[in-house]
Amino acid sequence: MKEERLLERIRSWENEPHRRSQGDVRRQIDSVLAHLQRILNTRQGSVPISDIYGIPDLTDFMTSYPESVTEIERSIRQAIEQYEPRLRS
């Protein structure tokens, strides 16, 4: 697992300069979890960085539920694989 995201590292260096060279596994895990929360709580097309950042509106899948469950899983997996490279498998 890689370090925290860039802005998180900059913030940490400013607030805790003595920790610059130390790797904190808990901090890395918290960073990944926070980013996953942002990804999974963002609807595609709602942010300026990318039209495909986030996940599709899940209410669109409800018309074909339960057949759409695999499509929902695929959408979530793709979003995580594309926007959170610190996770593998």
Side-chain angles (χ1 to χ4, degrees):
M1 195 180 312
K2 293 181 183 176
E3 295 180 16
E4 298 166 300
R5 297 173 67 211
L6 176 62
L7 293 178
E8 292 169 331
R9 287 194 311 257
I10 292 170
R11 230 176 274 122
S12 294
W13 292 343
E14 291 173 350
N15 296 334
E16 303 174 69
H18 62 282
R19 299 185 81 162
R20 286 185 184 185
S21 62
Q22 299 173 354
D24 186 353
V25 175
R26 183 74 227 161
R27 185 177 276 180
Q28 292 172 10
I29 291 170
D30 289 344
S31 172
V32 170
L33 288 174
H35 191 223
L36 285 174
Q37 286 175 332
R38 282 192 290 278
I39 293 169
L40 298 175
N41 285 310
T42 302
R43 187 181 310 170
Q44 284 181 342
S46 67
V47 293
I49 64 166
S50 173
D51 288 338
I52 60 170
Y53 180 86
I55 60 172
D57 187 357
L58 298 180
T59 57
D60 294 341
F61 292 104
M62 298 314 287
T63 58
S64 60
Y65 182 82
E67 295 82 19
S68 61
V69 170
T70 55
E71 184 66 23
I72 293 169
E73 290 171 344
R74 185 188 63 74
S75 297
I76 291 171
R77 187 179 313 106
Q78 282 181 334
I80 291 171
E81 288 172 351
Q82 184 167 1
Y83 291 104
E84 187 43 84
R86 296 175 289 180
L87 289 179
R88 299 286 180 239
S89 299

